[in-house]
Amino acid sequence: MNSFLAVFKRELKGYFTTPLAYVFLVIFLFFSGYLTFRQRFYEMRQADMQTFFMNLPLLFVFMVPSTAMRLWAEERKVGSIELLFTLPVTITQAVLGKFFAAWLFLGIALALTFPMVITVSYLGDPDVGLIVTGYIGSMLMAGGFLAIGCFFSAVSKNQVISFVLSVVACAVLVFAGMPTTLNYLSGFLPGGLVGAIEGMSFQTHFESIQRGVLKFQDLSYFVFLMVGWIAACTVILDERKAK
Amino acid sequence: MISAKELRRSFGPVIAVDGISFDVAKGEVLGLLGPNGAGKSTAMRMLACFLRPDSGTAGICGHDIQREPIQVRRCLGYLAENVPAYNEMTVGGFLSFICDVRQIKGGDRKKALDRVVPMCSIESVYHQTIETLSKGYRRRVGLAQALIHDPDVLILDEPTDGLDPNQKHEVRKLISRMSKDKCIIVSTHILEEVEAVCSRTIIIARGRILVDSTPQELKEKHKCSLDAVFRKITRTKVA
């Protein structure tokens, strides 16, 4: 087993040895269900999961940074980073190991929303393709948020500061694509710039995937976002690990 | 096996290590002595490839710490000063994580654990989580972590700090026993420890090497106890 897998395994186990994972899962599952049903899931009389997926960006803005905040901040605060980086592990291996462990954990959280799929399938005849792309989009979005959270977790030793910074960063990226924001911005910004801001938002690409089509530009947006923030995390960690 | 050349590192305006060079051969136990803030830990952290030196370099087991940090870490066992560990893990879980990272598998892993657990006397806390351990046990777990891959080079930053007199004695015995076929650097404030385990001693203050000698030589030269020698050297030469 190489060092990447060792870090990955330890991190994933770490979630479940503390109450953190269970608290997170309960709160996430409660709110993802609550928000869906509050928004007239039954009254719409449509067997699809659109309402469910529409609420995820907002939920993720808070939930993903709370998973990500401990990744490096805790390691630096407790000092275990000195242990980790005197073992034969490169920074990239460690960053990726932790990132993928947290991503898989979020994947587990998403997978546990399966009763929603069962409910919809029981009530009607939903479009399976839409549900699948919905989940793929949600996973990609979780990965994007997580990469941002990972970066801010490496920035500060303080978990609360990491959390707040990544919530703000994620919120900016979500709200930049909301119609109200774009309307407001188009009042005084040139159209090209508004388009560029829209193109940089999570919301735009997430909604595009929700329509059931996996476009290259949406996929590449999320991939670039993750690669970029993870690379930045690696650089900043190398810089700050001993401070 | 260890050769440091002009290692230098500063933190902002503070020069922690100011161009130190030394060689340590197999079979030697080098004691790093010095007042608080002398640069002992910084020097050790650079050798363990945790900190990058501003200039200068070092070779450990033939690998350069700047160019081949991963190879260096493979042949090195390092115990940091505050014994960093994953507090929520059990001792057993922690050691098997170290085995995973160091790629000790199957039968080798069992052998390594069977060797290192009794050696550091941590059988009784094997299933306990690390955060519940006393300082002494925690340090012994750190020691087990550093020894699990039977490294050629050991760097131990204050290995007996926080241990009771019996445990101190045990650890010193352990270091002496291992010293024949390893190359060991120990930093400490306890001068009797230097006499007990070290075949050579380097006294550092303000990032510079003041003395590189053997404990016996130092005592004979200054005709007093090591304690007095230490005070004499670090006070006069630094002031």
Side-chain angles (χ1 to χ4, degrees), chain A residues 14 68 98 107-108 138 148 183 199-200 205 231:
Chain A
K98 277 178 176 268
I108 294 172
S138 309
I148 294 174
N183 279 341
M200 274 192 283
H205 296 280

Side-chain angles (χ1 to χ4, degrees), chain A residues 2-184:
Chain A
N2 69 29
S3 312
F4 161 77
L5 280 177
V7 175
F8 174 82
K9 202 173 99 182
R10 197 207 73 77
E11 195 64 37
L12 193 63
K13 265 192 192 164
Y15 278 107
F16 293 97
T17 49
T18 57
L20 185 90
Y22 305 101
V23 172
F24 176 89
L25 287 175
V26 167
I27 293 178
F28 172 73
L29 293 174
F30 171 76
F31 277 103
S32 64
Y34 172 75
L35 290 173
T36 309
F37 287 107
R38 201 194 60 172
Q39 287 168 354
R40 303 167 162 265
F41 172 70
Y42 287 122
E43 287 86 336
M44 285 204 294
R45 309 191 68 78
Q46 264 182 31
D48 65 24
M49 290 179 63
Q50 219 192 342
T51 18
F52 169 76
F53 287 123
M54 288 299 286
N55 287 315
L56 282 185
L58 205 60
L59 204 53
F60 276 179
V61 164
F62 293 100
M63 297 309 277
V64 177
S66 71
T67 338
M69 66 181 186
R70 63 186 272 279
L71 286 178
W72 291 107
E74 193 183 7
E75 195 103 22
R76 285 179 60 205
K77 185 148 200 167
V78 179
S80 49
I81 194 163
E82 186 168 356
L83 172 85
L84 187 60
F85 290 133
T86 49
L87 290 172
V89 182
T90 63
I91 293 189
T92 318
Q93 282 172 333
V95 169
L96 288 178
K98 277 178 176 268
F99 173 80
F100 280 106
W103 203 12
L104 181 62
F105 173 68
L106 291 172
I108 294 172
L110 269 176
L112 287 176
T113 58
F114 72 91
M116 208 58 224
V117 183
I118 296 177
T119 311
V120 171
S121 310
Y122 176 74
L123 292 173
D125 187 20
D127 183 342
V128 180
L130 266 181
I131 294 180
V132 172
T133 51
Y135 273 111
I136 292 175
S138 309
M139 257 323 258
L140 287 171
M141 189 174 59
F145 280 20
L146 193 63
I148 294 174
C150 206
F151 171 81
F152 284 109
S153 170
V155 165
S156 171
K157 269 186 194 176
N158 187 321
Q159 292 198 30
V160 179
I161 293 178
S162 308
F163 175 75
V164 173
L165 287 176
S166 35
V167 166
V168 171
C170 293
V172 166
L173 281 174
V174 168
F175 287 111
M178 294 279 183
T180 38
T181 322
L182 293 171
N183 279 341
Y184 172 70

Side-chain angles (χ1 to χ4, degrees), chain B residues 188-203:
Chain B
T188 181
H189 289 296
I190 309 160
L191 295 162
E192 59 182 72
E193 192 162 291
V194 177
E195 287 185 271
V197 300
C198 299
S199 58
R200 201 175 127 204
T201 172
I202 285 182
I203 299 181

Side-chain angles (χ1 to χ4, degrees), chain B residues 47 80 86 111 117 170 195 227:
Chain B
L47 290 177
Y86 293 106
K111 260 189 246 164
V117 170
E170 286 299 316
E195 287 185 271
D227 225 42

Side-chain angles (χ1 to χ4, degrees), chain B residues 32-37 40-41 44 78-83 135 139-140 143 155-163 168 171 175 185-190 193:
Chain B
L32 271 188
L33 286 178
N36 287 327
K40 304 184 295 283
S41 294
M44 290 180 138
Y78 173 62
L79 174 68
E81 192 180 1
N82 46 2
V83 203
K135 203 172 169 189
R139 197 158 286 266
R140 283 192 266 168
L143 205 57
I155 297 183
L156 310 173
D157 202 347
E158 303 192 11
T160 57
D161 186 38
L163 302 189
K168 271 186 187 153
V171 170
I175 294 176
I185 301 187
V186 181
S187 87
T188 181
H189 289 296
I190 309 160
E193 192 162 291

Side-chain angles (χ1 to χ4, degrees), chain A residues 195-217:
Chain A
I197 292 173
E198 191 183 358
M200 274 192 283
S201 162
F202 269 109
Q203 194 66 23
T204 320
H205 296 280
F206 182 63
E207 274 174 12
S208 161
I209 294 178
Q210 294 307 312
R211 282 181 219 119
V213 194
L214 282 174
K215 278 191 277 182
F216 177 73
Q217 66 190 70

